[in-house]
Amino acid sequence: GDSVTQMEGPVTLSEEAFLTINCTYTATGYPSLFWYVQYPGEGLQLLLKATKADDKGSNKGFEATYRKETTSFHLEKGSVQVSDSAVYFCALIEGGGSQGNLIFGKGTKLSVKP
Amino acid sequence: EAGVVQSPRYKIIEKKQPVAFWCNPISGHNTLYWYRQNLGQGPELLIRYENEEAVDDSQLPKDRFSAERLKGVDSTLKIQPAELGDSAVYLCASIKAGTATPAFFGQGTRLTVV
């Protein structure tokens, strides 16, 4: 079945550092791709998404580009803040399209130090 | 618009006891998911409903877990009897199938089996 692989954490950065969290996927067809974020003590929230190749999702300074050739959807932010400390999950909708099982990676914990 | 509502938020039970979780999805969202999230891991799909039909329950441990969504709206997930290894956060999510909208998650129910 379809799957998502994320870089293992935890990732610890200083404030204003550049962030990259790697995500690659294995899927049939061209799935919609997502990044979800889970702040301490809170539920999962959608951070950004991309539904087709070369799409760039962006939100709150975070960006990720759907790369079909490398089956990747890496999350980036140019300057992280302490408030970005959270667990980040890469996900896809299995089977392609926008209907199906939502499959998650294991998550990457980010800690940002002042 | 109200989000996905889950109850209870927390539940502590002794092993071998039954437990039930309830989820009310966003109005109009016909797809409903139940996930289990173990500590430090990504959410793992248990079951997916399209309206009142369970279209994928392949990951649901059917010897002790059951779920229902009788009218295609709210849903209940039950464990009977609970085991120590069932301690986790149980998440419910909903999505409007066939659209580009993302899945929205509830706050989850944290289950502790002692």
Side-chain angles (χ1 to χ4, degrees):
Chain A
D2 296 2
S3 64
V4 175
T5 303
Q6 287 182 238
M7 65 184 283
E8 299 225 355
V11 174
T12 302
L13 296 174
S14 298
E15 208 164 22
E16 299 184 3
F18 183 84
L19 169 71
T20 300
I21 300 178
N22 290 339
C23 171
T24 58
Y25 66 89
T26 301
T28 54
Y30 302 106
S32 295
L33 300 173
F34 307 86
W35 277 100
Y36 279 82
V37 59
Q38 192 170 36
Y39 296 104
E42 298 187 15
L44 279 163
Q45 304 173 27
L46 178 71
L47 181 59
L48 53 84
K49 67 173 185 175
T51 57
K52 61 182 187 294
D54 299 325
D55 264 3
K56 177 185 282 188
S58 61
N59 186 25
K60 298 182 181 179
F62 290 88
E63 293 184 339
T65 301
Y66 191 143
R67 301 287 188 198
K68 184 179 67 173
E69 61 277 11
T70 55
T71 61
S72 65
F73 193 55
H74 304 322
L75 182 68
E76 297 182 335
K77 187 174 185 181
S79 176
V80 293
Q81 305 300 311
V82 173
S83 57
D84 294 326
S85 297
V87 182
Y88 293 82
F89 295 93
C90 187
L92 61 78
I93 291 187
E94 192 175 46
S98 59
Q99 184 169 352
N101 292 338
L102 184 59
I103 305 298
F104 286 87
K106 293 186 182 297
T108 303
K109 183 175 182 178
L110 170 67
S111 295
V112 181
K113 306 298 183 186
Chain B
E1 177 183 272
V4 176
V5 179
Q6 289 187 248
S7 69
R9 286 293 311 278
Y10 305 93
K11 189 75 175 178
I12 301 174
I13 61 170
E14 293 183 344
K15 63 182 180 182
K16 302 185 182 179
Q17 294 302 305
V19 64
F21 315 122
W22 177 79
C23 171
N24 191 25
I26 292 174
S27 178
H29 282 199
N30 48 337
T31 300
L32 183 147
Y33 305 92
W34 281 104
Y35 287 88
R36 177 170 56 192
Q37 186 177 19
N38 293 310
L39 188 64
Q41 300 294 313
E44 296 174 336
L45 182 69
L46 291 172
I47 190 168
R48 177 177 124 238
Y49 282 94
E50 298 291 343
N51 300 305
E52 66 275 10
E53 182 182 358
V55 296
D56 189 343
D57 63 357
S58 59
Q59 302 303 312
L60 190 72
K62 298 181 185 65
D63 56 336
R64 297 182 300 107
F65 286 66
S66 64
E68 59 183 17
R69 194 185 184 198
L70 294 176
K71 296 183 179 180
V73 181
D74 57 341
S75 176
T76 303
L77 178 69
K78 298 178 182 177
I79 309 174
Q80 182 170 11
E83 297 179 351
L84 295 177
D86 296 330
S87 296
V89 177
Y90 291 83
L91 297 167
C92 179
S94 70
I95 191 171
K96 194 167 188 178
T99 71
T101 55
F104 289 89
F105 282 79
Q107 292 280 76
T109 297
R110 181 177 296 277
L111 173 68
T112 302
V113 182
V114 297

